């Protein structure tokens, strides 16, 4: 079986619809075909300031949402990044293999620091993609299910893996991004030129999965569209409507062509009202399942402890091989 690896940050409050459609749905699908490792990346979370108690709560909340989305601890390995110290240990080696200029070209860092300036960012935020390199390579992952915004980081991972293998001999599997074309980039509901994002979207532009379903329905109904009336998929000319069609199509399994036919001659109001209903029907049981996992922290922590144990077995083996290749003297 090929290996899959991905990580998701412990977002305050809840995951958003872009996270679910772009990434988490693919995690669930790949459980069936891959030896899959998924983690809540708390080490990545502290690249920006976090309140310790909130971080701890959000980490459990993230794991509960992943389970509520359909991750099955018997079919994949679900764990918390900081439970596996090998991530930080391999990241140091990767830091020493990455050029400063190379790291400086990462567009996500530039985007995230555009407002306040790179000087005010932490060094951790700067080297975040290199920790991600270690995350992926530790598991010898073949495929990395992510959204489109992460493509450049997976490319960096490939470059560094090839560099390591070239310099020290074959050690790491070269990973490929697994990005689903249709859902790789879900757009902000108020500004369909930018991706739905927990750090950049306004509250009205983002669907938070654990919000009151009524609140989410309202956001769908007030999504920005265009001044035409025709319901047609056209990313260039009709980005708002196209985004709603993508969301509708993915949540229901109906093709976009069928949706266009269904809404022929009908207005945007009908599309939005019905998509709002579809969304409410999806988030309602999702919220309930998340609450059930949160209500039983002992079971949840048990799942995470088993996951960490399985993950460490793989990660420690890779780390030992990498440290040996680099020339570190083994401890007796
Ligand atoms: P931030 O804006 O702080 O980076 P985020 O909203 O991008 O937060 P992450 O935790 O960084 O959330 O992303 C988790 C996963 O969700 C990643 O694989 C990412 O590519 C994917 N993802 C995030 N936003 C979207 C989106 N709008 N459409 C599709 N996939 C997305
Ligand atoms: Mg992101």
């Amino acid at each position: 079986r090929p290996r899959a690896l991905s990580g998701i940050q412990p977002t305050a409050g809840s995951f958003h619809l872009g996270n679910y459609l772009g990434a988490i749905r693919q995690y669930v699908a790949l459980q069936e075909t891959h030896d899959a490792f998924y983690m809540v990346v708390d080490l990545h979370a502290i690249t920006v300031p976090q309140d310790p108690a909130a971080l701890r709560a959000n980490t459990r909340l993230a794991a509960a949402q992943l389970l509520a989305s359909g991750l099955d601890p018997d079919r994949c390995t679900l764990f918390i990044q900081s439970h596996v110290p090998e991530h930080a240990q391999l990241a140091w080696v990767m830091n020493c293999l990455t050029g400063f200029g190379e790291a400086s070209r990462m567009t996500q860092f530039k985007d995230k620091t555009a407002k306040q300036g790179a000087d005010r960012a932490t060094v951790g935020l700067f080297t975040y993609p290199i920790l991600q390199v270690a995350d992926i390579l530790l598991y010898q992952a073949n495929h990395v299910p992510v959204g489109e915004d992460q493509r450049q980081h997976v490319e960096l991972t490939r470059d560094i893996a090839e560099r390591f293998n070239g310099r020290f001999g074959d050690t790491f599997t070269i990973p490929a991004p697994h990005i689903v074309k249709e859902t790789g980039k879900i757009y902000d509901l108020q500004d369909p030129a930018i991706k739905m994002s927990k750090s950049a979207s306004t509250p009205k532009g983002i669907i938070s999965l654990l919000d009151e379903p009524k609140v989410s329905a309202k956001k769908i109904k007030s999504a920005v569209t265009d001044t035409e009336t025709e319901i047609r998929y056209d990313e260039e000319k009709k980005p708002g409507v196209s985004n709603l069609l993508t969301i509708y199509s993915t949540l229901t399994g109906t093709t976009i062509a069928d949706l266009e036919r269904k809404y022929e001659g009908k207005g945007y109001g009908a599309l939005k009202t019905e998509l709002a209903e579809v969304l409410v029907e999806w988030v309602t049981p999702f919220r309930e399942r998340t609450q059930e996992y949160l209500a039983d922290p002992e079971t949840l922590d048990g799942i995470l402890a088993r996951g960490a144990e399985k993950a460490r077995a793989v990660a420690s083996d890779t780390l030992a091989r990498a440290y040996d290749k680099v020339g570190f003297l083994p401890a007796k």
Side-chain angles (χ1 to χ4, degrees):
R1 274 189 157 202
R3 287 251 174 91
L5 174 285
S6 200
I8 189 157
Q9 291 194 55
T11 313
S14 76
F15 292 145
H16 59 73
L17 194 57
N19 295 145
Y20 176 69
L21 297 177
I24 301 169
R25 263 184 115 245
Q26 276 58 254
Y27 300 178
V28 177
L30 293 187
Q31 292 182 119
E32 310 306 329
T33 52
H34 285 62
D35 190 8
F37 294 83
Y38 302 120
M39 57 179 177
V40 179
V41 293
D42 50 356
L43 299 184
H44 286 279
I46 64 162
T47 55
V48 296
Q50 299 283 345
D51 171 71
L55 177 60
R56 228 180 316 275
N58 289 329
T59 300
R60 273 214 186 93
L61 183 61
Q65 289 177 89
L66 289 172
L67 292 163
S69 301
L71 288 191
D72 175 351
D74 291 328
R75 286 179 9 259
C76 71
T77 302
L78 174 64
F79 64 101
I80 307 299
Q81 188 183 28
S82 64
H83 292 179
V84 181
E86 285 81 0
H87 290 260
Q89 292 174 296
L90 185 64
W92 178 253
V93 175
M94 298 306 162
N95 270 316
C96 297
L97 278 177
T98 309
F100 186 80
E102 189 175 31
S104 308
R105 284 192 292 276
M106 294 298 113
T107 56
Q108 190 173 81
F109 178 78
K110 288 191 227 172
D111 292 346
K112 287 193 172 181
T113 56
K115 262 190 216 142
Q116 93 278 31
D119 282 353
R120 303 192 56 187
T122 66
V123 176
L125 189 68
F126 182 71
T127 66
Y128 173 133
I130 305 164
L131 175 58
Q132 215 174 314
V133 169
D135 295 341
I136 297 166
L137 297 185
L138 270 178
Y139 299 91
Q140 307 286 6
N142 304 89
H143 299 121
V144 184
V146 284
E148 186 59 50
D149 62 313
Q150 290 296 325
R151 186 185 291 279
Q152 195 188 27
H153 293 166
V154 183
E155 292 299 328
L156 177 72
T157 308
R158 294 169 62 90
D159 290 345
I160 307 287
E162 279 167 4
R163 190 170 305 154
F164 189 103
N165 289 351
R167 204 172 289 180
F168 302 110
D170 224 10
T171 309
F172 295 115
T173 303
I174 310 298
H178 176 85
I179 300 171
V180 174
K181 194 172 150 282
E182 291 76 14
T183 53
K185 192 168 181 182
I186 299 296
Y187 294 90
D188 183 292
L189 296 178
Q190 287 300 311
D191 180 1
I194 62 167
K195 86 168 186 91
M196 190 180 284
S197 151
K198 66 163 182 285
S199 51
S201 289
T202 58
K204 280 184 77 185
I206 187 171
I207 300 286
S208 295
L209 300 180
L210 294 175
D211 273 359
E212 279 293 330
K214 265 192 221 150
V215 171
S216 296
K218 210 169 154 202
K219 290 183 188 176
I220 293 283
K221 287 181 194 161
S222 55
V224 166
T225 47
D226 52 59
T227 52
E228 297 179 4
T229 53
E230 195 192 353
I231 294 172
R232 173 169 57 83
Y233 189 89
D234 182 339
E235 258 179 272
E236 297 265 299
K237 296 200 187 94
K238 303 170 78 68
V241 172
S242 301
N243 192 39
L244 295 179
L245 286 171
T246 299
I247 295 170
Y248 200 143
S249 163
T250 315
L251 286 179
T252 58
T254 319
T255 65
I256 301 251
D258 281 343
L259 289 175
E260 285 174 339
R261 248 181 312 255
K262 178 173 177 192
Y263 287 102
E264 214 180 303
K266 294 185 188 160
Y268 293 164
L271 172 71
K272 288 177 174 177
T273 305
E274 284 168 39
L275 174 55
E277 280 166 19
V278 164
L279 184 71
V280 167
E281 249 170 68
W282 187 83
V283 293
T284 303
F286 170 83
R287 293 172 86 223
E288 285 166 11
R289 285 195 298 271
T290 302
Q291 290 314 327
E292 282 166 22
Y293 283 108
L294 286 176
D296 184 1
E298 255 172 65
T299 301
L300 185 61
D301 291 352
I303 291 171
L304 296 173
R306 275 200 307 285
E309 202 180 312
K310 275 161 64 189
R312 277 203 85 175
V314 176
S316 61
D317 182 59
T318 310
L319 183 78
R321 283 201 280 148
Y323 270 25
D324 179 58
K325 289 273 175 77
V326 166
F328 291 159
L329 182 68
K332 278 275 185 262

